[in-house]
Amino acid sequence: MEKVRALKPHRRLPERGHRSLRWIKHLALALIFSALAWISCGQTPSLLSSSREARRVLGPAAEIPRALLDDLELSRADADWYEQRRAFWSIWSFLFQRQDSLGQIPELEHWQSWYSVDDLSRIFRRLFTTIDAAARRERKTFDATSLDAAIDWNDRAQFNEPAWDEAAFSRWLAQFSGDITRRSIPGFNKILFNRPALVSVLRDYKALFACYRALTLRDDCAPFVWLPGAAFLKTSWRRNGDGFAIDRFDTRAAALDAQFHTSAWTANGVWQPRLDEGYAMQTRTAQIFHLVGMHLMIKRPSDWVWSSIWLSQGEGSDLAVDHAPELPGYRLCSVTGFTSPLATESPDDAGSLPPAELQGVAAVLRAHSFPSWCSNPFLELGTNNQQTNCIGCHQHAGLNWSQQDLTRRLTVDLPSLQYQASRSGPSDFVWSLISGPDALFAPIADTIEYFDAYDPY
């Protein structure tokens, strides 16, 4: 932005030179604008983004039922590890149930409908282009009515506009034949989020933009706060077949204890799951990928809770012994705070004791005196990360840490990533708000800077 303004002369150029300079600027800006329009409107089959066509299939993002969230807010979920697992398995079960089909459009699982950074970018551009240049310069905030209208446009209304080509969409959709291929329609998005998370960013874009370009939310910026109910998913996929195999991690009590005596998560071999083992998708070019790991984080009224699942060989054992019906091959860990009871071995409401395999895992975790624990072998890579708990690292989100900073802490200051700090980072436990290659705010900042340069001309 500043470089563009620096080109503006302090004195009047000769008429010919002045017009030439303006013509060059107009051409450059027009090319940028055309590229943005093409990205927004083109019929793209990319597997790396959520295209408009994918949103036409998905419709509005599915929301976790209130009753399931209420289970996580009960004190019992904080006090009883087994009850906490039951509550999280119920949420995972919902996320992997199929949505209602929309006419000719195939059914996909609820979690696939959550928003990606591509949706956020489209919605913000819609909001920002419906206000005038003066309002853009002032960074006008958007009221609830405007936000609802823009989200509804992304989810439903844009497909009724003259520029939408239903015939082209039908040809595009026909490329995805069969359930396992249709699963690739939304793309391989690493970060997904629900409507409350989406609204949180759009609502406070003005304050975020003021601090974003420092690559951290500085001390003179008010800490960002997500709306209660905001939730995020982080996924990890691995190719399978055609010479590819997937790491296998044994998390039975004795094997998990051995993992805690190594320097990092260590695979116990490899395997090639069948298509019906775990959640698999096939691309239009017949490549098979398995969903091997997924994080879920949910904002409660005053704190965050975490759960993570990962695929391993063998159904219904160790950390999968209490699995949801939809996820027989997946293991689960969870955490609702910096301290965890890791279960008292008391009967449940029906008078039954927890499964012996879970009792064994709980005993191992207590023996290692972890304040709390949840670590996914496909997402928590690096030295000592198998001993962490998600929340201990995420409490620092928004600080300007490098990868070297994180590696140093994992190596020589592990407690700083396990125990509660005296002060949390300023982006409220979500690193991807402003950090990393998929930073949520990046396309919003790019759009604002584009119009800052374009509007004066």
Side-chain angles (χ1 to χ4, degrees), residues 39 112 119 127 132 161 203 206 232 326 359 383 386 395 407 431 441 445 453:
I39 292 168
Q112 290 269 45
D119 293 291
L127 286 163
D132 60 28
E161 295 179 349
R203 178 195 63 176
K206 179 178 181 179
F232 291 84
E326 297 80 3
Q359 294 182 47
T383 302
Q386 81 280 25
Q395 68 179 318
T407 299
W431 282 106
F441 198 73

Side-chain angles (χ1 to χ4, degrees), residues 3 44 84 88 111 128 138 163 183 227 242 246 253 272 286 299 380 430:
K3 289 183 178 179
T44 171
Q84 183 186 121
F88 272 116
W111 72 269
F128 213 54
E138 295 169 4
R183 287 175 175 175
L227 291 170
D242 295 327
I246 294 173
Q272 292 183 312
K299 177 73 180 286
E380 260 79 51
V430 180

